[in-house]
Amino acid sequence: MGFVGLNLAAFLASRKVRTVGIEINKDILTSLNAGKPQFYERGLESMVKSTLKSKNLIFSGNVEDILGSDIVFVCVGTPSLHDGSIDLSALKKVSEKIGKTMSVDSRWRLIVIKSTVTPGTTSNIVLPILESSSSKKCGKDFGLVMNPEFLREGSAVKDTKIPHLIVIGGANTKDNTFLRSFYSTIYGRALPKVMITSPTTAEMIKYANNAFLATKISFINSIANICQHLPGTDVEQIAQAIGYDPRIGPLFLKAGPGYGGSCFPKDVSALLSFCKNMGIDPKLVSATHQVNLNQPYEVVRLVERALNGILGKVISILGLAFKKNTDDIREAVSIKIISHLLKNGAIVKVHDPMAINRVKSVFGNSIEYFDKADQCIKNSECCLILTEWDEYKDLKPELFIKVMTSPIIIDARRVLDAEEFEKKTQYFAIGRGK
Ligand code: UGA
């Protein structure tokens, strides 16, 4: 019952599919049974509560409870190992458990891999584990499909209700047809484009999708970094202009402090590591990754230049989550930037509407936490904006001038009105040449 699993379970239950959400962590399970997800996602808690109430959704700590099901969605995490390669241990473990459980009955059921896995995993790792632990044959006794997920944090409920595409990569035609007709029942007339393919192509589609989006971001960040050396240029206008070209499109061209979250950094690293093992060097993917590793330090350089060094300086940070509308700080640039500032002797004060508690568990007493943005920026010498929360868009230059020691603002997310702020404060922004 991680991000993908819980969203899917609650959604299916809301469509009157009797759904069992399996979670082996006892604390999370207790909290889920009380209707409380372990992370924030808009609209999810109410959907969990109402589906629990309707009894279409129940939670369980036992994998054996799959025995009552026709379809088993596997949504376990596939995090990065230290070297950036994919950690498939949870997937292997759960595949074995499912196989063993399936060995006790004769019901045909479909196993659907939703977890993001490197190409070949479903056919070469999951399938043999399922067959050997169940003593059954894929295609005859059970089905297996790779069905990647494309939902985004912050809009996961909506993305699950209205996906732009469904990719079905089955080991057999019967498996593909079974899952397609299931989705067709669930979505009815709202069924999006369904693409039927092989398991390995489905796995590769997921990596290509995320790597391409990450590349768009690293590309625009590279342009932003050039703009910073060109007085009078602004990456925002450049992104807007090129976005009008239908061959390019306007989305994912927002320059910033680099992409974070639990997906792009992990998936780009996993793809690179996978390629390295195969003796392939995907240079563009590698460059995307390198640009992103450097991008938080472009922001740090703006701070250092504006403040003429950061030793002993009081720096306020607005926004800690890896993007707005989530409390997730996994691979958030805020963590890297705060660590760098502390290491170099700055005094750091932070605000975030949702992620404060998670950041407290990382930095403890070494930084100061504020519930209100205006309190956070008070008496600071520089204010750095790291997440594009809507509430920051309403902040006016007058507030910064009134409460800060010196109104130096570094807008790493381009949330403020640059022209207005430049007139009244010392305003520096990613991709705005001075
Ligand atoms: C991403 C993909 O968008 C989803 O389609 C995919 O299903 C998911 O990964 C996954 O593989 O599970 P997510 O990580 O939730 O979703 O968030 P995004 O909205 O894609 O943002 C990722 C990062 O890129 C954030 O740090 C965001 O601030 C940054 N970003 C995004 C930019 O810096 N500029 C942009 O123009 C867009």
Side-chain angles (χ1 to χ4, degrees):
M1 287 295 98
F3 205 84
V4 170
L6 184 58
N7 269 289
L8 178 66
F11 167 69
L12 293 178
S14 76
R15 295 291 156 103
K16 304 203 168 27
V17 178
R18 278 182 298 129
T19 309
V20 189
I22 298 176
E23 170 57 58
I24 56 168
N25 179 308
K26 288 204 169 62
D27 293 338
I28 296 177
L29 184 63
T30 307
S31 151
L32 285 174
N33 275 321
K36 189 108 195 92
Q38 72 279 21
F39 48 80
Y40 173 78
E41 181 63 37
R42 202 172 20 188
L44 182 61
E45 190 170 330
S46 61
M47 192 154 75
V48 169
K49 285 205 162 94
S50 63
T51 49
L52 273 174
K53 205 168 154 205
S54 72
K55 299 208 165 34
N56 281 326
L57 179 62
I58 57 167
F59 293 109
S60 152
N62 302 320
V63 176
E64 288 78 10
D65 284 339
I66 64 160
L67 284 176
S69 312
D70 298 308
I71 307 182
V72 181
F73 289 97
V74 178
C75 310
V76 293
T78 49
S80 294
L81 289 167
H82 281 303
D83 62 357
S85 64
I86 193 166
D87 180 358
L88 292 173
S89 55
L91 183 74
K92 288 179 185 167
K93 220 164 145 184
V94 81
S95 300
E96 192 174 340
K97 191 92 191 162
I98 291 170
K100 279 203 179 121
T101 305
M102 288 199 303
S103 69
V104 305
D105 74 356
S106 56
R107 181 177 185 158
W108 183 94
R109 57 176 67 78
L110 183 68
I111 313 300
V112 181
I113 307 300
K114 280 233 149 245
S115 307
T116 299
V117 292
T118 38
T121 303
T122 303
S123 303
N124 304 330
I125 297 177
V126 177
L127 191 152
I129 295 178
L130 285 172
E131 286 191 335
S132 67
S133 53
S134 65
S135 304
K136 290 183 169 186
K137 199 89 198 104
C138 178
K140 181 170 140 288
D141 306 313
F142 67 91
L144 178 63
V145 165
M146 206 285 143
N147 171 219
E149 181 55 62
F150 300 104
L151 63 77
R152 295 160 296 173
E153 287 189 29
S155 54
V157 171
K158 184 173 145 254
D159 291 349
T160 311
K161 278 185 188 155
I162 316 167
H164 67 279
L165 170 72
I166 293 175
V167 174
I168 297 179
N172 310 281
T173 312
K174 177 184 170 190
D175 306 349
N176 290 334
T177 311
F178 190 87
L179 191 59
R180 193 188 195 288
S181 77
F182 173 71
Y183 279 132
S184 179
T185 314
I186 297 297
Y187 287 107
R189 274 199 270 146
L191 183 75
K193 165 103 194 124
V194 178
M195 196 169 166
I196 305 287
T197 183
S198 70
T200 309
T201 302
E203 290 159 339
M204 197 61 204
I205 286 171
K206 174 67 188 176
Y207 278 98
N209 205 107
N210 273 2
F212 187 79
L213 292 171
T215 301
K216 275 187 106 172
I217 301 168
S218 278
F219 173 81
I220 202 68
N221 284 340
S222 301
I223 299 294
N225 299 344
I226 301 172
C227 286
Q228 249 140 248
H229 298 277
L230 297 175
T233 55
D234 192 339
V235 73
E236 288 274 281
Q237 286 190 334
I238 294 166
Q240 202 184 356
I242 64 173
Y244 279 120
D245 185 328
R247 292 166 300 177
I248 296 176
L251 303 179
F252 276 70
L253 285 179
K254 183 90 184 157
Y259 56 77
S262 64
C263 305
F264 290 170
K266 159 181 93 79
D267 293 347
V268 170
S269 295
L271 181 60
L272 285 171
S273 166
F274 174 79
C275 290
K276 194 171 163 202
N277 283 339
M278 289 181 64
I280 303 166
D281 176 15
K283 292 194 171 57
L284 185 57
V285 183
S286 209
T288 293
H289 181 59
Q290 290 306 324
V291 169
N292 199 58
L293 288 180
N294 172 63
Q295 199 60 15
Y297 302 101
E298 289 290 333
V299 177
V300 166
R301 278 189 277 281
L302 279 177
V303 177
E304 285 172 340
R305 236 178 287 144
L307 280 173
N308 212 359
I310 54 178
L311 181 67
K313 303 278 168 60
V314 182
I315 299 171
S316 51
I317 296 183
L318 299 184
L320 304 166
F322 84 97
K323 67 179 202 180
K324 71 173 180 179
N325 298 335
T326 175
D327 59 357
D328 198 342
I329 57 161
R330 285 177 288 175
E331 295 292 326
V333 283
S334 61
I335 306 299
K336 287 184 194 144
I337 292 179
I338 294 170
S339 305
H340 179 94
L341 296 177
L342 289 178
K343 214 162 115 202
N344 289 279
I347 296 149
V348 178
K349 308 163 71 174
V350 300
H351 170 266
D352 188 283
M354 274 178 192
I356 287 281
N357 283 337
R358 297 201 190 269
V359 173
K360 267 187 193 159
S361 66
V362 180
F363 292 105
N365 293 331
S366 53
I367 60 177
E368 267 188 274
Y369 306 89
F370 292 85
D371 291 336
K372 298 234 153 39
D374 56 349
Q375 290 297 315
C376 176
I377 61 177
K378 201 169 167 184
N379 298 331
S380 66
E381 292 159 272
C382 172
C383 171
L384 173 55
I385 302 179
L386 287 183
T387 312
E388 70 286 19
W389 287 102
D390 287 341
E391 67 174 85
Y392 300 152
K393 290 183 186 144
D394 299 329
L395 298 172
K396 296 280 171 250
E398 289 70 24
L399 171 75
F400 292 87
I401 297 166
K402 192 170 147 208
V403 304
M404 288 176 75
T405 312
S406 58
I408 298 177
I409 298 148
I410 313 288
D411 187 355
R413 287 288 190 171
R414 305 302 307 261
V415 294
L416 303 175
D417 180 336
E419 285 188 6
E420 192 192 0
F421 270 80
E422 263 170 6
K423 275 188 219 137
K424 300 177 180 166
T425 65
Q426 293 184 63
Y427 175 85
F428 303 90
I430 278 288
R432 195 160 163 96
K434 281 221 170 181

